[in-house]
Amino acid sequence: MATSSYISSFASSLSGRSGGAIYIHIPFCKQACHYCDFHFSTSMKKKEEMVLALAKEIQLRKSEFQDELIETIYFGGGTPSVLTTEEIEFLIAEVYRHYNVIENPEITLEANPDDLTRERIVELSKSSINRLSIGIQSFFEDDLKMMNRAHNSEEAQKCLELATQYFDNISIDLIYGIPGMSNTQWQQNIETALRFGVPHISSYALTVEPKTALNALIQKGKIDAPKDEVAEAHFQILVETLEKNGFIHYELSNFGKENYFSKNNSAYWLGKKYIGIGPSAHSYDGISRSWNVANNALYLKAIQQDQLPNEKEILSKADRYNEYIMTGLRTIWGVSLDRIERKFGQHYLDYLIKQSEKFIKDELLSIENNILKPTSKGKFLTDGIASDLFYINLEE
């Protein structure tokens, strides 16, 4: 199948069914990475209690997906690989018990290299997990120490050597734009990943979030701040190298070979419904967005009282338009002008075309077959461009 045909058929296969995704947030980590602002605890004292609470939330929310088929189950975090395989299988079984699940769903486990011993990989290969997402981040020891990762370079390479023997569907995470990382070192990171033959790579620029240890270290002058021009140079190297090696750049931060796109993440980008289970997890049903409390103790207390500890926001037409602009521009499928007109009306379409003019003139955006997309030159700037296309304070 030609690449363009695969891309179209993949999107059609996801969009054409009344399906949904289940995301399960595991709020525990062995130690805190300096750059991370996700919700987690480094104390494992409440782990067993949390697993039972997650199972109960899965049950409490089954009415939300009465008409949907579950197509993907995704364990994110935190560090889901701190759970035992038995605990993971228990939660998967709870999804099957309360929801309608397609045959052969994509079931992903995020894992850290230090958790992936040979014994654990073999164990997981015999479980329901059929996709691993491994948090490598870098193959250089200095980078891992600076980020306060729990694994070292040797563990990163050893786990991939083992995992690729037992799993076909593997994604790895890499971080670029790290202070002090040269273009040559970044190229070496990519080449090392390619040697293991993994079919999917997710790669993100190192960002400095306000309440992180990384921000504090930069403020104290102990670490240099990341530079945009370095990140952009790394991004261009990443895109060029992976595309030369048969990867399709199907989302701003995601590269996959044919048949290895993330079905779970693609469902989010293509506007499918999803339920987020666990503290801080988000959910979306097409007309509203909700999010659970980002506090383990409050989450446990509420679930034990058969209450859902979440807040809900009904999305306005402008919210839904803005969300489509943001997700559409980040993907290879772009923003359909026909869909804008059909779902949001002529006024929104006229606004989008007007706002896009300067970016088209600067060759950062293009329109082809009535699809608005970033150009190669504009890809790295996608999020900033999208914000300029948002419709703010629209009278409904």
Side-chain angles (χ1 to χ4, degrees):
M1 182 185 292
T3 296
S4 58
S5 299
Y6 171 72
I7 292 165
S8 298
S9 64
F10 177 83
S12 297
S13 70
L14 285 183
S15 303
R17 295 193 296 263
S18 178
I22 298 277
Y23 170 84
I24 303 174
H25 186 80
I26 307 303
F28 300 106
C29 288
K30 290 178 181 176
Q31 64 187 51
C33 297
H34 284 163
Y35 58 85
C36 183
D37 71 339
F38 292 160
H39 171 68
F40 65 91
S41 169
T42 53
S43 170
M44 304 286 174
K45 290 179 182 178
K46 299 282 187 180
K47 184 164 78 78
E48 290 181 13
E49 192 177 340
M50 181 63 71
V51 170
L52 293 175
L54 295 172
K56 192 168 187 181
E57 187 186 357
I58 288 170
Q59 177 186 351
L60 289 172
R61 300 185 68 178
K62 62 182 179 181
S63 62
E64 297 177 34
F65 266 11
Q66 286 183 329
D67 301 322
E68 274 75 32
L69 288 170
I70 300 301
E71 298 172 326
T72 66
I73 303 170
Y74 191 101
F75 288 86
T79 309
S81 52
V82 301
L83 295 190
T84 66
T85 305
E86 184 180 14
E87 289 168 332
I88 293 165
E89 288 281 50
F90 167 65
L91 292 172
I92 293 170
E94 286 301 291
V95 173
Y96 272 87
R97 194 153 74 93
H98 298 291
Y99 299 78
N100 295 315
V101 182
I102 66 167
E103 188 176 353
N104 300 319
E106 178 188 88
I107 306 180
T108 302
L109 178 75
E110 288 185 357
N112 276 355
D114 47 298
D115 292 324
L116 294 179
T117 61
R118 178 183 291 277
E119 292 73 24
R120 187 73 197 281
I121 290 169
V122 171
E123 195 177 69
L124 287 169
S125 72
K126 296 175 182 177
S127 75
S128 303
I129 298 295
N130 53 32
R131 183 173 184 270
L132 290 179
S133 177
I134 305 175
I136 299 292
Q137 314 310 354
S138 177
F139 291 101
F140 288 99
E141 203 65 46
D142 288 347
D143 297 339
L144 297 172
K145 287 179 180 177
M146 186 275 287
M147 292 186 281
N148 200 39
R149 294 291 292 168
H151 69 277
N152 58 39
S153 178
E154 184 181 349
E155 287 172 322
Q157 298 191 53
K158 185 65 176 177
C159 85
L160 285 177
E161 184 183 317
L162 293 168
T164 50
Q165 294 174 31
Y166 293 93
F167 281 87
D168 172 56
N169 199 349
I170 295 174
S171 177
I172 68 169
D173 288 352
L174 292 175
I175 291 179
Y176 60 86
I178 295 172
M181 178 185 281
S182 67
N183 290 352
T184 301
Q185 286 175 311
W186 174 235
Q187 183 78 48
Q188 287 175 340
N189 254 337
I190 302 168
E191 297 292 348
T192 301
L194 291 173
R195 283 207 301 272
F196 292 99
V198 294
H200 191 280
I201 293 176
S202 297
S203 192
Y204 309 90
L206 181 68
T207 54
V208 185
E209 302 297 343
K211 296 180 181 179
T212 59
L214 177 60
N215 184 57
L217 289 167
I218 290 171
Q219 295 298 321
K220 293 174 183 175
K222 294 185 177 180
I223 295 177
D224 291 335
K227 296 178 180 177
D228 289 344
E229 59 270 26
V230 172
E232 184 169 5
H234 288 181
F235 178 78
Q236 299 301 342
I237 291 167
L238 176 73
V239 173
E240 184 180 333
T241 305
L242 292 185
E243 288 184 344
K244 278 182 181 177
N245 282 273
F247 285 79
I248 300 166
H249 189 194
Y250 71 104
E251 194 272 341
L252 184 63
S253 302
N254 287 270
F255 303 77
K257 294 194 173 181
E258 285 191 17
N259 301 315
Y260 291 98
F261 290 7
S262 167
K263 293 179 182 177
N264 179 82
N265 293 349
S266 296
Y268 301 162
W269 302 322
L270 293 169
K272 303 277 279 186
K273 298 179 181 179
Y274 56 90
I275 292 176
I277 303 294
S280 80
H282 285 234
S283 304
Y284 172 75
D285 65 7
I287 58 173
S288 67
R289 187 187 296 113
S290 63
W291 53 94
N292 286 347
V293 63
N295 181 294
N296 287 6
L298 293 178
Y299 173 83
L300 289 171
K301 183 179 179 182
I303 293 294
Q304 286 160 0
Q305 296 172 351
D306 292 341
Q307 296 174 0
L308 293 175
N310 60 23
E311 294 183 53
K312 190 173 185 178
E313 173 192 19
I314 303 298
L315 300 174
S316 66
K317 183 186 282 189
D319 291 333
R320 287 182 277 117
Y321 163 87
N322 290 343
E323 196 154 296
Y324 177 50
I325 295 297
M326 174 60 80
T327 56
L329 283 187
R330 287 181 64 97
T331 71
I332 203 166
W333 301 286
V335 172
S336 166
L337 300 185
D338 293 334
R339 179 176 172 180
I340 292 289
E341 184 177 21
R342 187 174 65 252
K343 286 205 162 193
F344 304 104
Q346 187 67 42
H347 188 59
Y348 280 83
L349 178 61
D350 292 343
Y351 175 81
L352 175 59
I353 291 172
K354 184 174 183 295
Q355 291 297 107
S356 300
E357 285 176 357
K358 60 182 177 181
F359 298 110
I360 292 171
K361 184 179 178 182
D362 292 339
E363 299 183 340
L364 298 174
L365 292 177
S366 67
I367 297 176
E368 188 176 343
N369 298 322
N370 237 20
I371 301 292
L372 180 70
K373 290 183 182 181
T375 62
S376 297
K377 181 180 169 184
K379 277 183 180 178
F380 183 74
L381 305 171
T382 295
D383 289 346
I385 293 171
S387 66
D388 277 0
L389 305 184
F390 287 170
Y391 208 137
I392 310 298
N393 297 324
L394 179 70
E395 292 182 14
E396 302 268 9

